[in-house]
Amino acid sequence: MTATIASTAREADLIEYCRQLFSRARNRKRGLYDNWSRNYRLVHNRGPNTGNAASPTPKDSEIFPVLSAIIAWMTDQNVNVNINPAVDPNTTYADAWTQVSQDLQVILESLWINNAQDHQIKLALWDAFTFGPGYFKTIWDQALDKGQGNTKFIRVDPWCLYVDPNASNVYDAEYLIEVRKMTMNEVRRRWPRSATIVDAAGGLGDQIDQRPALDTRAPRSPMANPGPLPSGNGRYGGSMSNPPDIPDNQEVVVYEYWMRFNQSHTEKIDNTEQEFVESKWRCVVVANNQILMDEWAEDLWSYATHPYDQFIPEDFGELYGVPITDHLAQPQQYINRLLGALQQNAELTGNPVFVEPDNSGLERTPIINRPGQRLKLRGPGAMQNAPQWLTPPPMPQVVMDMVQFWISRIENISGLGAAIKGGVNGAPSRTPEGVISTIQEASFVRIRSMLGNLEECLMSIAKKQADLIIDNYNTKRVMALVGPSGEKTSLALKANHFQVPSSDGKVPLEYSLIVQAGASMPTSRTARVAESDQAYALGIIDRQAWFEAHQYPNWPEILTRVNNQIGMGLFQPPGARQRAHH
């Protein structure tokens, strides 16, 4: 389907074409739902019961601390963005471009802090380790900065995103589809001109795929009684002559299609007309079989492609990846089954089965298992037919050995031992700190590999955000900035701040960008601090680098105060007296 045909097609044909793409992607993805549902329940300690209704069903939680520890280590370091202008350093504009690129770098880092982007990263990491992929979507939110708008990225639920089944990732896919529920209020905010026809169609329409519910209990009304407002009028009902309008919370399923089409053009090369074909991305939004939006990506933003990025911890070229929980699920289930057998045996020991013959003479005697109880037997041969407690069979040690075996398999699969997960008994006593750090670093080789994949994902996100900033910062604005170390400042930007005048008009900033999330640094915070201490003692780095390595709170203010006091002779750095005597 070429761009020319698609642009002139009737809406019904376009919607049907989109529906066919959705059906293909959904059929491919539905085969994963059984594993995804099992993984999701196991991570949240909601595994299936291992016995009958009368049997104890203990559920150990080994997967959750493993995933929590990996995610904690992966997000332990600050994300740093470095931007350099793609310009000849010998040109007259080199200094201007350098300053502009520094402003862009500061804005990006500040936005990541102000918009709590670390939280979105953690959500996507939980998705990646539970289901396989973690998805991000870079958007321009016009509601930010008092209506001036700004960029941010959000995590997208893997249950809601459908990818071309012939692709190996979102970057070489021919189409992607995001499906989610929206209220009509949200539809009106996003597409005010098209909301009327969607509202007229009415009804929720389609059902969407969702992750399983953890709490199956029926919802109940809140037990709080809000009472009257300070004005003295009742909050609800009463004698209000003009009651407020009830918001329209009717839900509708919205399909956001991103499709790649071909566009051909001809160029004359050596007096010969040659045809070239290039790809163009198109966004079509559909709800209730009505088109809400139909735009080319190049008309929305300069990077002219879909807004999605993905993180897969261990990328094997599989479209939806292979989550580590798939490997941890079976050991976790076997541990639960063994613990169920142990628990049932322990309960039988404390309350064993009572066996009595028919002629024991205790038909009307209540038997309660308690110390000091005395039973009287009547009838001939009563003592020969005395009732007794049925002794449960002893549980062999091999059961506990099997439990420990499966726990060791989980540690082997994850690469994390008890000490690295935070257990106090994970390391032998009197182990030198240097040995612990060495073991920790050896264990974290796999985490650094995952951090490398995360850095590639965040680099793609940062480029999209940078392009959105360059395109949309077209008016004057003053931004309050908060740095990762607590420094506070502000930045005044002129209109089209990231576009420099030239003989050809306004030229947008061209840049190269790299994101560092810790893949090239020691994963252990102790090791990072030790390196900075040694480098500072040798005079290789200055105080600022030392403060940054230690991530000391409000270090810019402290550094300024220390430098001022040193200049006034009120403060001497460590070793100053010794150096003065020599």
Side-chain angles (χ1 to χ4, degrees), residues 402-446:
M402 284 297 298
V403 171
Q404 293 302 320
F405 167 78
W406 286 118
I407 292 177
S408 68
R409 292 303 87 199
I410 288 179
E411 294 179 350
N412 180 69
I413 293 169
S414 64
L416 300 182
I420 301 175
K421 288 187 293 184
V424 295
N425 297 322
S429 59
R430 298 188 179 182
T431 303
E433 182 179 352
V435 175
I436 294 294
S437 297
T438 303
I439 297 174
Q440 196 175 64
E441 285 300 313
S443 302
F444 288 163
V445 172
R446 290 168 58 180

Side-chain angles (χ1 to χ4, degrees), residues 138-140 258 297-307 468 471:
T138 306
I139 62 174
W140 179 265
W258 289 87
E298 63 184 14
D299 296 329
L300 300 175
W301 38 63
S302 60
Y303 58 83
T305 183
H306 64 77
L468 286 173
D471 292 342

Side-chain angles (χ1 to χ4, degrees), residues 43 92 113 143 165 188 205 224 287-288 306 330 351 355 384 413 434 475 511 552:
V43 168
T92 57
I113 296 173
R188 291 190 183 96
N288 281 345
H306 64 77
Q330 208 167 49
N351 187 21
V355 181
Q384 289 79 7
I413 293 169
T475 59
Y511 60 89
Y552 205 87

Side-chain angles (χ1 to χ4, degrees), residues 322-351:
V322 180
I324 190 174
T325 310
D326 272 0
H327 301 277
L328 301 176
Q330 208 167 49
Q332 179 69 79
Q333 289 174 326
Y334 285 146
I335 289 173
N336 290 345
R337 290 171 61 178
L338 291 169
L339 292 178
L342 282 171
Q343 183 67 28
Q344 185 172 16
N345 185 263
E347 293 184 9
L348 284 174
T349 301
N351 187 21

Side-chain angles (χ1 to χ4, degrees), residues 136-139 151-153 303 307 309 461 464-465 468:
F136 299 97
K137 183 179 184 180
T138 306
I139 62 174
T151 178
K152 67 178 182 180
F153 64 89
Y303 58 83
D309 290 281
I461 293 173
K464 289 183 173 70
Q465 288 192 289
L468 286 173

